[in-house]
Amino acid sequence: MSQDKPQSEQLACDICLKEIPDSVDSTFEGDDYISHFCGLECYDQWQQQKAQKEESA
């Protein structure tokens, strides 16, 4: 009798939309949401976009 291994959920990077396993993602938890990033480059790009939006508001 074989046991099925639970498959990890696939998430999408919030910047490049690359699929990443939930076990290796980097996350940012905000007040009402969680953002997922495939690596530091996408996280840095997200921070820059966020800062630009805040400056223009």
Side-chain angles (χ1 to χ4, degrees):
M1 189 162 140
S2 67
Q3 289 185 324
D4 292 331
K5 291 182 181 179
Q7 292 183 353
S8 64
E9 184 179 337
Q10 291 287 315
L11 304 170
C13 174
D14 285 354
I15 298 298
C16 69
L17 304 178
K18 176 182 172 184
E19 285 191 1
I20 49 177
D22 64 350
S23 60
V24 298
D25 71 331
S26 301
T27 62
F28 171 79
E29 295 187 29
D31 294 337
D32 296 325
Y33 60 89
I34 298 176
S35 297
H36 301 276
F37 307 99
C38 63
L40 291 176
E41 289 180 15
C42 285
Y43 178 71
D44 288 341
Q45 183 177 347
W46 175 79
Q47 284 185 313
Q48 290 172 2
Q49 289 175 356
K50 184 179 173 187
Q52 288 174 351
K53 286 180 185 177
E54 288 174 357
E55 286 177 5
S56 64

